[in-house]
Amino acid sequence: MTAIEDAIKKAIVAAGRLQGDLSIRDRIDRSHGQIDVFGVLAHLDVPLLFRPLEGLLGAFLNEPSPGVLVTTKRPLSVQRFTAAHELGHYYLRHKPSLDDESILRRSPFMASRNANLQEVEADAFAASFLLPQWLVVRHCKRQGWTTADFTSARIVYQLSLRAGTSYAATCWTLARYKMLSRSQAKALSEIEPKTIKKAILGSVEPTNYYGDVWELTEADRGELIHGGPGDLFILRLEEHAGAGYLWRLDELDEHGFALREDTREQYHESEQAGGPVTRRIVAESKRQQNGALRLSEARPWQPNSIANQYAVDLDLYGPESEGFSRAERRFRLEAA
Ligand SMILES: [Zn+2]
């Protein structure tokens, strides 16, 4: 075994050990399908501060005592990967490290022979800590995905949103678990997320492409969506128009969303007229918000005769801002 492969294995084992020690797997439903890496640092009593860093994504310092800095200038998924990388440096007792963009460009489970072993370990630790194999399996079970679905960039992207990982890191991590071949992972990782968002949105032009595009499903009911202030949501809802029931889209505006598209998918020929149709709704979040996206299907002349409801809880704050993480502030409040 080469020194590189040794370092990668050591880091993956360490990430699994820390997850075991903190019973993260047992608590994954409470953290809504994401590993709460900022909460883990708070729990371990490692100070984590967000700062508008210049030219750096993050840093691990250990003089006089350990601490982590993460930039405020990048999206939440990058902040989470950076924090997990710095957590790796801490947990593997590394030397102090200043980390720039190169931690995103590297594949977390491959390195050239002259690579810095400490960085190889921190990358592999970060990727496997944020997306352990059991977490991929959990999301597959919920959403009804099989590994064959991972050849679709769209599905890998939807997995990355739900797990709170970056799209490229998700591709490489699936290859590590042999759920994709290396060449498939390479081809997928070269597709820009913007291209995937465009393919999902079709004719809808978002306000900007920073927002993520969530294809919500029945399995997302009752989950908490961790997203950003400009994210878009696609809902496909069965509508019983023949019986007079319609989805009430006026509720979107009340909840801070703009309706961007509303279409009814064609009746299947074999279906009788008047049977249920599928209504496809594209909604764009208008602000930073914490609440729910809730819609009800009712008869317009009997608004209280609700036949169905669709609801997901949302945390659309986006990236962490300067200071302590939201997880740490909650943790401190609970401890007080
Ligand atoms: Zn590093």
Side-chain angles (χ1 to χ4, degrees):
M1 192 156 41
T2 66
I4 295 288
E5 188 52 28
D6 226 11
I8 290 171
K9 290 220 165 114
K10 171 186 162 191
I12 293 174
V13 168
R17 186 183 336 115
L18 179 57
Q19 282 174 342
D21 288 350
L22 301 179
S23 312
I24 285 176
R25 191 170 176 170
D26 302 331
R27 286 193 269 191
I28 197 67
D29 289 323
R30 265 195 282 159
S31 60
H32 304 282
Q34 296 196 351
I35 308 276
D36 179 9
V37 60
F38 306 143
V40 167
L41 282 159
H43 185 87
L44 295 174
D45 234 352
V46 180
L48 163 66
L49 278 175
F50 290 86
R51 290 273 181 262
L53 304 175
E54 288 300 333
L56 287 181
L57 293 182
F60 166 63
L61 310 165
N62 65 4
E63 288 293 328
S65 57
V68 168
L69 292 173
V70 172
T71 183
T72 52
K73 294 180 172 176
R74 299 300 298 271
L76 185 59
S77 62
V78 174
Q79 291 180 322
R80 285 170 48 81
F81 187 82
T82 307
H85 177 104
E86 307 308 343
L87 172 64
H89 283 316
Y90 165 77
Y91 192 65
L92 297 164
R93 300 171 184 277
H94 287 166
K95 293 197 214 84
S97 179
L98 302 178
D99 294 299
D100 63 17
E101 296 279 329
S102 60
I103 68 169
L104 302 180
R105 284 197 296 271
R106 301 189 291 245
S107 153
F109 303 109
M110 272 188 276
S112 58
R113 240 184 311 157
N114 53 3
N116 175 336
L117 284 183
Q118 176 174 304
E119 291 309 306
V120 172
E121 288 182 2
D123 285 342
F125 180 96
S128 65
F129 189 77
L130 290 177
L131 191 60
Q133 195 162 4
W134 57 261
L135 186 55
V136 178
V137 171
R138 176 196 186 266
H139 286 291
C140 283
K141 277 191 181 152
R142 277 187 84 98
Q143 299 288 345
W145 296 325
T146 65
T147 48
D149 291 319
F150 291 142
T151 52
S152 155
R154 210 162 149 164
I155 300 288
V156 174
Y157 173 64
Q158 293 300 315
L159 168 66
S160 74
L161 294 183
R162 284 161 181 80
T165 49
S166 77
Y167 168 71
T170 304
C171 296
W172 292 118
T173 308
L174 291 173
R176 180 78 197 180
Y177 302 148
K178 308 223 179 328
M179 292 168 160
L180 283 174
S181 70
R182 273 200 182 181
S183 59
Q184 285 172 323
K186 183 167 188 299
L188 285 171
S189 72
E190 283 165 1
I191 303 173
E192 290 285 332
K194 183 175 170 178
T195 307
I196 305 169
K197 294 175 195 179
K198 277 189 167 166
I200 300 172
L201 286 170
S203 57
V204 175
E205 272 278 325
T207 307
N208 63 60
Y209 280 100
Y210 291 119
D212 278 306
V213 183
W214 298 78
E215 295 185 273
L216 295 178
T217 66
E218 279 298 315
D220 293 310
R221 273 184 200 254
E223 275 281 41
L224 177 70
I225 297 290
H226 290 270
D231 285 4
L232 289 104
F233 298 89
I234 297 178
L235 293 103
R236 295 176 80 257
L237 302 165
E238 191 174 273
E239 187 170 69
H240 305 85
Y245 289 97
L246 300 174
W247 286 96
R248 294 189 47 194
L249 302 189
D250 53 312
E251 293 176 348
L252 283 173
D253 193 54
E254 288 165 33
H255 292 115
F257 292 89
L259 177 65
R260 297 299 312 275
E261 195 172 66
D262 174 17
T263 46
R264 284 187 173 81
E265 287 173 5
Q266 288 277 295
Y267 285 105
H268 199 273
E269 270 196 49
S270 62
E271 276 173 31
Q272 64 201 74
V277 292
T278 300
R279 189 125 171 223
R280 181 179 180 276
I281 295 156
V282 181
E284 187 173 31
S285 167
K286 294 193 286 191
R287 56 172 186 254
Q288 247 185 354
Q289 53 179 317
N290 188 353
L293 175 56
R294 196 171 282 127
L295 285 174
S296 45
E297 188 188 17
R299 289 182 161 133
W301 62 93
Q302 288 176 314
N304 295 324
S305 65
I306 293 168
N308 279 300
Q309 274 189 316
Y310 185 87
V312 283
D313 290 323
L314 302 166
D315 172 346
L316 301 184
Y317 280 108
E320 298 280 345
S321 48
E322 201 161 345
F324 295 119
S325 69
R326 295 189 284 270
E328 182 158 1
R329 278 180 266 149
R330 266 196 309 275
F331 191 75
R332 285 169 177 237
L333 270 177
E334 282 162 17

